[in-house]
Amino acid sequence: MAWLDSVSEVPSRARVHHMEDRQSNFPTSACVLLGLGLGAFFDGIVFHQLLQWHHMLSGWYPLNSIENITLNTTWDGIFHSAAYVLVLAGLFLMWQRTRRSAPRWSGSQCLGTILIGWGIFNLAEGVVDHQILRLHQVNETVPDGQRIFWDIGFLLWGAAMIGMGVAMARVGAQEGVHAKGSLQVVRNTPPALVYVIFLLLLVLATAPAFRPVLFGLSVDDLLQLRCFSSV
């Protein structure tokens, strides 16, 4: 009966190899980068602009003068440029993976890995910017004693997104389907054209950040930032 056992092992081995191939062929890094960028965009648009709970350097330079408002607005823009670059990098990696081989897609796995990236952003932002560097806190419109609770909530939100994302990615890895026709156009796009487009988009996003004169700032102004100051 040994031959029956060996025959029964063939389908199970095939399923294992199929699942491993599906997982390795999914553009995980691209989706994580998209999640990082989307998390940064959400933070910048909702917290910095719509709610105006804080700005990029409002913990160091409160909005009590025109100069500080200008400085914070500039660094909010640089922050958005960084978010733009993260999303652009995610799309570029996804295009590269699609061009080399048709990836296996799953809505749950895609959304799950994006949530993982978003959660990683929240944790990094919450620990480094909010607690270590003290660039700002989540909600600076509330009394000082209450701000720590908003910071803790932001960290818990990020941890919850990572946990939910991991669970969704695991479920999606078992139900992925092979992407074909919808990605054929992407695979047939000339690589040179794609490189030019991404390069132009990258320049549009980052050039202002590296051209302080466009914001009315000089090198001397930038050196006055607390991180460069001896005070």
Side-chain angles (χ1 to χ4, degrees), residues 8-225:
S8 63
E9 289 178 0
V10 173
S12 60
R13 290 176 181 173
R15 285 193 295 268
V16 171
H17 290 310
H18 179 67
M19 184 175 298
E20 291 177 350
D21 177 69
R22 176 185 299 159
Q23 293 174 349
S24 62
N25 202 26
F26 183 81
T28 302
S29 57
C31 290
V32 170
L33 282 174
L34 287 175
L36 287 168
L38 291 175
F41 269 130
F42 181 91
D43 185 283
I45 294 172
V46 176
F47 295 149
H48 292 212
Q49 297 177 326
L50 296 179
L51 297 177
Q52 298 184 23
W53 282 358
H54 64 259
H55 293 275
M56 193 62 202
L57 301 179
S58 53
W60 289 2
Y61 301 96
L63 305 183
N64 53 14
S65 68
I66 297 298
E67 291 78 10
N68 285 359
I69 293 175
T70 300
L71 182 66
N72 275 281
T73 302
T74 297
W75 281 91
D76 284 348
I78 294 174
F79 175 74
H80 278 104
S81 294
Y84 184 96
V85 171
L86 287 171
V87 172
L88 196 62
L91 293 174
F92 182 76
L93 287 180
M94 189 171 295
W95 169 78
Q96 279 195 324
R97 177 63 63 85
T98 303
R99 184 171 64 91
R100 288 197 299 264
S101 61
R104 298 187 178 277
W105 288 96
S106 163
S108 297
Q109 191 174 11
C110 183
L111 181 58
T113 48
I114 288 176
L115 287 177
I116 291 172
W118 193 324
I120 291 173
F121 167 80
N122 278 19
L123 292 182
E125 166 85 353
V127 172
V128 177
D129 289 350
H130 298 171
Q131 304 304 318
I132 297 177
L133 298 179
R134 307 291 291 184
L135 296 179
H136 54 258
Q137 292 182 273
V138 174
N139 190 351
E140 296 177 346
T141 65
V142 299
D144 291 346
Q146 300 178 14
R147 295 181 182 182
I148 185 62
F149 299 110
W150 290 89
D151 293 346
I152 294 173
F154 189 81
L155 291 171
L156 293 176
W157 176 28
M161 294 181 79
I162 292 177
M164 184 182 302
V166 170
M168 293 181 65
R170 287 179 177 176
V171 172
Q174 301 175 0
E175 63 182 20
V177 295
H178 198 206
K180 290 184 179 180
S182 60
L183 296 176
Q184 194 63 31
V185 175
V186 177
R187 299 184 65 188
N188 292 336
T189 303
L193 176 61
V194 177
Y195 286 131
V196 169
I197 292 174
F198 274 101
L199 182 60
L200 288 175
L201 292 174
L202 183 63
V203 169
L204 288 174
T206 59
F210 293 103
R211 292 284 302 277
V213 66
L214 295 180
F215 296 110
L217 293 173
S218 66
V219 175
D220 291 336
D221 293 329
L222 292 176
L223 291 177
Q224 296 303 314
L225 292 177

